[in-house]
Amino acid sequence: MKNKESLHNCQQKKTGVSRRTFLKTVTGTAAGIGISQMFNPALVLAMEKALENHPVLWIQGQGCTGCSVSLLNSVEPSIADVLLKVISLQFHPSVMASEGETAMKNLYEIAEKYKGKFSLAVEGAIPVAADGKYCIIGEIDHKEITMVDVVKDLGAKAGSVLAIGACAAYGGIPAAEGNVTGATGVMDFFKTAGIKTPTVNIPGCPPHPDWIVGSIAHLLTKGVPELDEYGRPVVFYGENIHDNCPRLEQYEEGELSEKLSDPKGCRMDLGCKGPDTYADCYKRKWNSGMNWCVDNAVCIGCVEPGFPDATSPFYEPA
Ligand code: FSX
Ligand code: SF4
Ligand code: SF4
């Protein structure tokens, strides 16, 4: 169980910033952007204890790995701090050293050991057609293990589930028109399978790293955050993009961009789906606060349950 040991060892090592300092940092730097509503210094100690017993097992189905890449772009806190100090990540196909049957057995062993406590992070949709054979994620004793098998087994054993990205939350791109693989999101899959494990949706294609880290930290320490009707944490997805857009004044004055390179103007005529989209991108921004979709293009409504079919064509007005 090389991956388990190496990840575990890393957690034990002193790597510059202690978990305690890190958690304090989360509390401090998050002020004013929402996470502060979830944490306060008095909780830091409780978090340290809580995190010890709550490993995260991250599995990948039908997706592009963009959600993992987005998480790896976490800057404040840095991804190193996130992985080593805030999340006890015991399984992740893209970042762990282990592979093959060893990794698969390890996945099931940890799930058994931490039954009812671990959090299952699901990235990518679950293809249910053809008995799940469109997505085989491993083998144990020469038996193929499908995404359907793992989400069913581990989903039922988990203390909580995070559906990370539009695909895991609602089916996303794999479930777009055509959908020969029968791609579906976690909550719909659970409904059919009769699984009742508390589930938090973190949509976005991909989701912002803060939405992922903030939701995991909240889930592991304070339980399920307040969710909206689509299972999304209100703290990140509670505000309408259009109502808060820096270009709202230009919209109201009828100043509309005619092309994407126009530095000013509302993007409505270019296909912006901000009016039907709920997320805090307008103030959180992306790429370490550098920019966001509306600055360079349009909002394509990537956090909404109907994405991508309901928000297509992306570059034509709704
Ligand atoms: Fe989906 Fe994740 Fe879009 Fe990609 O794997 S949310 S296709 S950005 O990254 O699942
Ligand atoms: Fe609304 Fe989009 Fe125009 Fe901003 S750019 S005001 S979100 S339509
Ligand atoms: Fe998704 Fe719109 Fe936010 Fe861009 S601005 S990340 S398309 S919700």
Side-chain angles (χ1 to χ4, degrees):
M1 292 194 293
K2 191 174 156 200
N3 70 309
K4 184 184 173 186
E5 278 160 19
S6 58
L7 281 170
H8 189 71
N9 288 342
C10 284
Q11 286 156 21
Q12 302 300 317
K13 275 183 204 157
K14 286 273 170 259
T15 49
V17 190
S18 70
R19 174 176 280 184
R20 190 172 168 76
T21 309
F22 167 73
L23 293 171
K24 277 185 179 157
T25 312
V26 169
T27 314
T29 57
I33 57 167
I35 302 178
S36 59
Q37 293 155 31
M38 303 175 175
F39 303 116
N40 65 58
L43 281 172
V44 170
L45 203 64
M47 285 176 81
E48 287 177 302
K49 269 261 140 299
L51 293 167
E52 304 285 308
N53 272 321
H54 292 82
V56 175
L57 301 175
W58 185 299
I59 56 170
Q60 295 171 328
Q62 254 179 322
C64 71
T65 319
C67 307
S68 289
V69 173
S70 183
L71 176 66
L72 293 171
N73 278 333
S74 185
V75 171
E76 197 161 350
S78 77
I79 186 57
D81 281 342
V82 169
L83 292 181
L84 299 176
K85 302 195 180 68
V86 76
I87 304 172
S88 175
L89 190 67
Q90 303 267 349
F91 186 94
H92 189 300
S94 311
V95 302
M96 68 188 179
S98 181
E99 58 182 321
E101 187 151 335
T102 311
M104 288 307 290
K105 283 188 171 160
N106 192 23
L107 172 68
Y108 277 90
E109 277 169 24
I110 300 168
E112 200 50 51
K113 184 174 170 195
Y114 291 98
K115 198 171 173 177
K117 288 182 180 168
F118 74 91
S119 196
L120 182 70
V122 180
E123 174 180 5
I126 309 147
V128 298
D131 206 20
K133 296 279 191 235
Y134 282 112
C135 189
I136 294 162
I137 65 172
E139 252 184 42
I140 294 181
D141 298 331
H142 304 292
K143 186 183 173 289
E144 290 171 339
I145 314 280
T146 65
M147 184 67 175
V148 167
D149 294 333
V150 176
V151 176
K152 203 183 275 175
D153 291 352
L154 271 49
K157 280 183 188 158
S160 58
V161 175
L162 294 131
I164 298 177
C167 307
Y170 313 121
I173 291 172
E177 197 182 329
N179 193 6
V180 288
T181 64
T184 186
V186 172
M187 278 183 172
D188 284 346
F189 180 84
F190 277 4
K191 221 174 274 167
T192 312
I195 296 170
K196 298 199 161 52
T197 310
T199 301
V200 176
N201 286 334
I202 311 172
C205 194
H208 195 290
D210 291 357
W211 303 341
I212 304 175
V213 175
S215 299
I216 293 178
H218 190 281
L219 196 61
L220 297 184
T221 56
K222 297 184 71 184
V224 176
E226 186 194 348
L227 304 177
D228 69 5
E229 60 183 314
Y230 301 116
R232 306 174 291 196
V234 171
V235 68
F236 299 122
Y237 301 90
E239 295 166 303
N240 181 266
I241 289 199
H242 174 74
D243 289 348
N244 295 285
C245 181
R247 296 175 190 237
L248 184 61
E249 211 178 294
Q250 291 154 44
Y251 164 80
E252 280 164 352
E253 281 163 9
E255 192 184 335
L256 305 177
S257 308
E258 284 171 14
K259 51 188 187 320
L260 293 176
S261 55
D262 284 350
K264 283 180 71 185
C266 160
R267 308 298 215 179
M268 181 79 82
D269 277 2
L270 300 175
C272 186
K273 306 299 186 296
D276 298 316
T277 305
Y278 290 77
D280 62 11
C281 311
Y282 70 91
K283 65 179 174 191
R284 188 172 303 280
K285 306 228 173 152
W286 285 74
N287 306 313
S288 317
M290 284 298 290
N291 49 27
W292 68 301
C293 305
V294 168
D295 274 346
N296 304 311
V298 295
C299 170
I300 59 172
C302 79
V303 297
E304 294 303 316
F307 171 85
D309 288 351
T311 64
S312 296
F314 294 154
Y315 295 100
E316 283 174 25

